[in-house]
Amino acid sequence: MRRLPDATPRGRAITVDLEGESIPAVEGEPVACSLIAAGENVLSRSVKYHRPRGPFCFAAACSHCLMRVDGLPNVYTCRTPAKEGMRLERQNAYPSADVDIFATIDWFFPKRFDHHEMFAGVPVAEDVMAKVARQLAGLGLLPKEAGPAALPPRTLHVKVAVVGAGAAGLEAARVFAAKGVPFLLLERDAHLGGRLAHGPPEDGAPFVPEPTAFPQGSVLRKATVIGLYDDEHGRYLAVASQEPEGLRLLKVYAERFLLTVGGHPPTLPFENNDLPGVYAGRAVSLLLRRHDVAPEVATLVGHGPELHALAHLLTQRGVEVAAVVDLKGPLPANAHPKACVGDGLKAHGLRGVGALSFTPQGGRKQKVSCDAIVVSVPVTPGFELARQGGAKVEFDAPAGHFRVDADADGRTQAPDVFVAGDVVKAGSAKDAAAMGQRAALALVGGLS
């Protein structure tokens, strides 16, 4: 990864401290983005086998970018804005993430390492092994200093709470605003739009409005919903809101909840798929569109329309695309010139991606050099919040994942919980917006 030569200034140039070394960064962008743009691809080591880890999803949906930031362990650096002088330390490595002696576990146990059974039943030895396993598998160290005092929580009451300001959530908010229904739109990012703002471009996708397009006070950004709970006053969302004074807990009570949280970027099961330099497709489009950071040479693997749209976007921005391997086919009419239907994927490299080998359909195995492997497949629905709220979740066998069970208007088993967008079924942004509109209209019809 590197910052593109034609990158437009997107913030003040600063430096952050990575274990005593000054690293160039851009103020306000995710610090993980600054690190990989500076050539620092290994941000930590894996918990069990101590394999090198680099960021994958840039959505806080994996643990590959966790670092110690200013003394605080297990911080998602993919979502932490870079600040002047920020102190960064890698975790789960001794003496360092570059040379970690515990990585020998991977060599000594090439098939598997089950510490639960090692020396089990052997007096004294099993106690020693348990202590060793706890040390090897610990996720970060406790902070050395006490954290800042928590801000007092705030309580809000609204008619409708909408979680997620992507295509579905924005369209629902337009409906509520047009009908005069009081609502609160909660978005964890600093900007609205989700994939509309930083995903691969889509034909016919809705536009992203400014927050001022909605009634004053109806949009809350930098607000991460962490749960849907009940108490003696009713149902409420627990929200971690990043305010100028610090992080504050909000309790948002509502009569109806519309969950448009999208999904998680999954990976694919192929050899060495955890090497630094393997990225989710939407992570790469975010890095490119919002931060002008991209690979030198990329290979893309997966299936679905976003795969080929992203390949064209990379080519347009000057990234060399070595290959596009569509795992399902057939190739669409707008397929990239380097696209083929294939399988048999394997990533090559020691501390990071150096090549990808694959077998084209009807051909012989090929190996292409690259510095990034981009995994672009439809997202896995983020069903967790809906399930916590009482919605039924079922396994979608053809898609190979779980999703929220809802009718065509987004109604779930829980009468006050509605869903729309990728949380129900992965599709285009246009599809998600249409689902958001239907769910909003159905929800309004049941309000008191």
Side-chain angles (χ1 to χ4, degrees):
M1 286 282 186
R2 88 288 193 205
R3 210 172 292 279
L4 295 175
D6 62 345
T8 56
R10 297 185 182 253
R12 184 169 67 97
I14 60 172
T15 60
V16 295
D17 181 280
L18 176 62
E19 298 174 339
E21 182 181 356
S22 292
I23 303 296
V26 174
E27 188 174 42
E29 79 175 2
V31 68
C33 174
S34 293
L35 291 176
I36 62 174
E40 298 290 344
N41 297 322
V42 179
L43 304 191
S44 66
R45 290 276 177 164
S46 65
V47 172
K48 189 171 183 179
Y49 292 101
H50 288 252
R51 294 168 181 162
R53 284 286 182 266
F56 169 74
C57 70
F58 275 85
C62 70
S63 61
H64 290 193
C65 72
L66 293 180
M67 299 183 75
R68 192 180 188 91
V69 178
D70 290 334
L72 185 66
N74 304 326
V75 175
Y76 284 105
T77 55
C78 71
R79 305 193 65 80
T80 302
K83 296 187 297 184
E84 179 69 58
M86 177 181 278
R87 293 180 293 108
L88 305 167
E89 300 170 80
R90 300 180 177 100
Q91 299 183 146
N92 307 328
Y94 181 82
S96 72
D98 291 326
V99 181
D100 183 5
I101 61 173
F102 294 128
T104 53
I105 294 172
D106 215 2
W107 296 88
F108 287 135
F109 302 93
K111 293 185 177 180
R112 72 185 183 104
F113 170 46
D114 189 349
H115 60 273
H116 298 286
E117 297 180 1
M118 186 167 286
F119 298 115
V122 180
V124 181
E126 66 176 347
D127 294 333
V128 173
M129 188 59 215
K131 292 180 180 179
V132 171
R134 291 192 194 102
Q135 290 295 322
L136 292 180
L139 192 60
L141 301 175
L142 291 174
K144 296 178 181 178
E145 302 174 355
L151 296 175
R154 283 197 296 128
T155 300
L156 303 175
H157 293 269
V158 295
K159 206 73 168 173
V160 179
V162 184
V163 184
L170 288 173
E171 191 60 36
R174 291 189 183 100
V175 172
F176 297 139
K179 292 186 173 295
V181 176
F183 70 94
L184 181 62
L185 177 61
L186 299 157
E187 170 55 49
R188 67 175 184 171
D189 283 334
H191 58 274
L192 306 182
R195 60 169 154 163
L196 295 175
H198 55 244
E202 295 182 29
D203 292 334
F207 74 96
V208 180
E210 294 295 327
T212 53
F214 299 106
Q216 186 176 5
S218 62
V219 177
L220 186 60
R221 292 169 290 170
K222 297 183 180 180
T224 302
V225 176
I226 56 178
L228 176 53
Y229 302 104
D230 299 82
D231 66 9
E232 66 275 17
H233 303 295
R235 302 254 274 175
Y236 69 92
L237 294 170
V239 183
S241 176
Q242 186 64 56
E243 301 180 357
E245 302 82 11
L247 199 63
R248 187 190 301 273
L249 177 66
L250 304 180
K251 293 179 71 175
V252 180
Y253 289 89
E255 187 175 328
R256 294 286 185 272
F257 302 91
L258 176 54
L259 309 182
T260 60
V261 296
H264 311 303
T267 187
L268 290 171
F270 59 89
E271 190 172 349
N272 294 328
N273 68 349
D274 60 349
L275 276 175
V278 177
Y279 299 96
R282 291 191 182 180
V284 170
S285 63
L286 180 147
L287 291 170
L288 180 59
R289 293 187 64 184
R290 296 198 67 85
H291 307 294
D292 291 324
V293 171
E296 293 273 2
V297 182
T299 56
L300 291 86
V301 300
H303 57 87
E306 289 189 24
L307 172 69
H308 299 280
L310 182 54
H312 287 296
L313 177 63
L314 289 168
T315 300
Q316 291 166 9
R317 293 300 304 275
V319 177
E320 181 184 345
V321 174
V324 180
V325 185
D326 192 315
L327 301 176
K328 290 192 174 181
L331 296 179
N334 68 333
H336 191 274
K338 295 288 186 70
C340 69
V341 179
D343 56 16
L345 306 178
K346 178 181 179 180
H348 300 269
L350 294 176
R351 287 173 44 82
V353 167
L356 173 78
S357 58
F358 62 95
T359 304
Q361 193 175 67
R364 301 180 61 181
K365 196 172 190 69
Q366 298 182 16
K367 184 177 181 181
V368 294
S369 298
C370 58
D371 65 318
I373 297 173
V374 183
V375 178
S376 181
V377 293
V379 296
T380 299
F383 62 81
E384 296 85 356
L385 189 62
R387 184 178 185 181
Q388 186 182 15
K392 180 183 177 182
V393 172
E394 62 181 10
F395 185 69
D396 186 339
H401 57 227
F402 288 90
R403 64 176 182 85
V404 180
D405 182 23
D407 67 13
D409 292 329
R411 296 183 183 88
T412 72
Q413 185 171 279
D416 58 348
V417 176
F418 288 68
V419 290
D422 286 347
V423 69
V424 181
K425 183 178 180 181
S428 69
K430 188 176 180 179
D431 295 336
M435 294 170 70
Q437 183 184 58
R438 290 197 302 271
L441 291 172
L443 186 153
V444 169
L447 286 174
S448 61

